[in-house]
Amino acid sequence: MARYYQRVESDLLVRGLLRVDGGGPDTPYTSAMLARNFEKVTFYDEHTIGTRVQRGTGQERLLSRWDQPVRINVEYGPSVSDEVRAQDTAMIREYAGRLSRITGHPISAGRLRPNFHILVIGEDDKSAMTARVRALLPSLSASALAQIISPPRATHCLVVVSHAEGPAPRILSAVAVVRAEHPDLLRRACYHEEIAQGLGIVNDSPFARPSIFNDDDEFALLTSHDEALLAMLYDPRLRIGMSAAEARPTVQTLARERMGDGAET
């Protein structure tokens, strides 16, 4: 598996993908594009977890985000080396601080009362980590649990987000699973995407560019465009439970503010 994912990463890099530059002159976007992308990635679910991980229904969902501090903790399977543990824990701590500055929401990494769990699991760790996943996601069926522990090889990582029921679906907790066999850049890309999506950016869109919220793998790490999406999501002018139609005028205003213009096109 480690050799396979090393080949995957190498192939993506040879094709000019997994960019870490955050976008540039070749990836322009307007306020209207930013507003459109926000709606696509925030109000629709990419996947559902049932008997298998599958595409979402395409139905609109209500705006959701955390209303309590986000406390991220990372746990490693026995196969993960001490060197990788130290490196990734420091990386996640730094990234949490960056996300907190972007959103204005308290986001931190540590072991104290975590509500956002990241599990770094290798093929050799499955028996050791299954009970832990079951404890963190007790309401999942056995088949859904198996999909999380043993996802298809094409699934590099995933996040499961738990919401409060009712008209205000605030996020209560999240569990992300990252393959331990990934080489450094693929693993870092997983952290960037799954933590950001666990904050409420639940979908990918082929129109989002420059963005990690796009299945094309062009960008490995959070971009300036993605920072704008997250800042908009946590702006107090948007409310948990809003529909896309209710939020649209405010989203357009926020997008114009982020771009520093009055463009409508």
Side-chain angles (χ1 to χ4, degrees), residues 134-185:
R134 187 180 293 114
L136 291 173
L137 298 168
S139 62
L140 286 185
S141 66
S143 58
L145 184 68
Q147 285 293 311
I148 292 172
I149 290 291
S150 299
R153 192 164 63 167
T155 301
H156 295 175
C157 40
L158 57 87
V159 63
V160 179
V161 179
S162 299
H163 301 85
E165 296 182 0
R170 68 190 188 279
I171 299 175
L172 302 176
S173 64
V175 178
V177 177
V178 175
R179 291 184 183 273
E181 291 89 359
H182 285 327
D184 286 350
L185 183 54

Side-chain angles (χ1 to χ4, degrees), residues 140-235:
L140 286 185
S141 66
S143 58
L145 184 68
Q147 285 293 311
I148 292 172
I149 290 291
S150 299
R153 192 164 63 167
T155 301
H156 295 175
C157 40
L158 57 87
V159 63
V160 179
V161 179
S162 299
H163 301 85
E165 296 182 0
R170 68 190 188 279
I171 299 175
L172 302 176
S173 64
V175 178
V177 177
V178 175
R179 291 184 183 273
E181 291 89 359
H182 285 327
D184 286 350
L185 183 54
L186 268 185
R187 209 169 57 254
R188 187 180 179 194
C190 276
Y191 295 141
H192 271 234
E193 181 172 7
E194 303 309 336
I195 295 174
Q197 292 202 313
L199 296 180
I201 303 287
V202 295
N203 197 18
D204 287 331
S205 169
F207 300 105
R209 185 174 187 259
S211 180
I212 59 174
F213 307 123
N214 188 318
D215 284 330
D216 63 6
D217 292 319
E218 182 180 9
F219 290 89
L221 308 180
L222 200 74
T223 68
S224 60
H225 171 277
D226 300 333
E227 290 185 345
L229 295 178
L230 286 165
M232 291 163 63
L233 177 61
Y234 279 84
D235 191 287

Side-chain angles (χ1 to χ4, degrees), residues 11-66:
D11 178 63
L12 292 170
L13 289 170
V14 165
R15 292 191 283 133
L17 303 177
L18 292 182
R19 290 171 57 174
V20 297
D21 58 5
D26 64 317
T27 58
Y29 57 95
T30 66
S31 57
M33 293 164 65
L34 185 62
R36 176 203 64 195
N37 294 341
F38 180 89
E39 185 167 322
K40 290 294 185 183
V41 302
T42 303
F43 289 98
Y44 299 90
D45 279 312
E46 180 185 12
H47 295 109
T48 58
I49 297 178
T51 56
R52 59 191 177 92
V53 180
Q54 55 193 343
R55 284 286 174 186
T57 62
Q59 293 182 332
E60 182 187 323
R61 63 191 294 279
L62 301 178
L63 187 141
S64 181
R65 66 187 181 209
W66 296 76

